[in-house]
Amino acid sequence: MDFQTLTKDNFILYAMGNYTNPDCMGMNEFDDDMAKIKYVKRLLKKYVRSGFIRPILLLNHLLILGNVFGIHQTSRMLFFKLEPELHSPLKTVLLYLNYIEDRGYIEGLNIQNIPMDTELATVLRKITNDHQET
């Protein structure tokens, strides 16, 4: 199957083909990991609507997704699944994790044209600074 462009028809096949969880014993584990995409979406929607973010929880979900699907594949899947109004905070956190670079294209989107979310970037930098102080 062609995965050059993700569609609703090939998305699950793309995810399954890139799934590399050695502890996976069946579809339940795969479904649990896929649900993390919904959790990321929910956290970012709440952030966009209210300004409230649970950054550690967001980072944990993204790290798990990156570990089981790969960082490039995770980025593709998230930009495909999340609405455009969530792309700015998504880009910000993916750059923070070094999952993407601030150039090139993902799912037809020019990453440079997506603005950084400076408030979220500040929150993420604070996490880094707090961690370095301990």
Side-chain angles (χ1 to χ4, degrees):
M1 181 165 255
D2 178 25
F3 296 115
Q4 207 161 13
T5 301
L6 293 180
T7 66
K8 64 179 183 165
D9 294 328
N10 71 9
F11 181 81
I12 292 294
L13 289 174
Y14 178 79
M16 286 179 161
N18 288 290
Y19 191 64
T20 57
N21 182 352
D23 297 325
C24 182
M25 300 300 270
M27 283 301 294
N28 287 340
E29 287 88 354
F30 175 78
D31 291 339
D32 288 346
D33 287 329
M34 286 296 292
K36 287 174 180 39
I37 294 172
K38 292 178 188 173
Y39 303 150
V40 167
K41 183 176 184 174
R42 190 176 305 145
L43 288 166
L44 291 178
K45 271 189 176 183
K46 186 172 187 175
Y47 169 71
V48 167
R49 290 183 181 148
S50 70
F52 176 78
I53 188 76
R54 296 179 65 188
I56 301 298
L57 183 58
L58 176 62
L59 292 171
N60 283 341
H61 288 317
L62 291 170
L63 289 169
I64 290 168
L65 287 169
N67 285 336
V68 298
F69 292 107
I71 60 175
H72 174 72
Q73 294 82 356
T74 293
S75 300
R76 277 191 79 192
M77 293 190 310
L78 287 168
F79 275 108
F80 174 76
K81 282 298 213 183
L82 275 60
E83 294 88 355
E85 64 265 16
L86 304 177
H87 287 176
S88 178
L90 177 62
K91 171 187 173 175
T92 304
V93 72
L94 292 177
L95 281 170
Y96 175 79
L97 291 172
N98 289 319
Y99 277 24
I100 62 171
E101 295 181 14
D102 196 17
R103 58 186 156 84
Y105 291 81
I106 295 178
E107 286 309 296
L109 301 168
N110 185 339
I111 297 300
Q112 286 180 308
N113 291 342
I114 301 170
M116 288 284 293
D117 186 310
T118 55
E119 290 179 28
L120 182 56
T122 300
V123 169
L124 296 171
R125 275 193 298 275
K126 184 176 179 344
I127 292 169
T128 301
N129 292 340
D130 289 349
H131 179 71
Q132 289 174 349
E133 291 175 3
T134 58

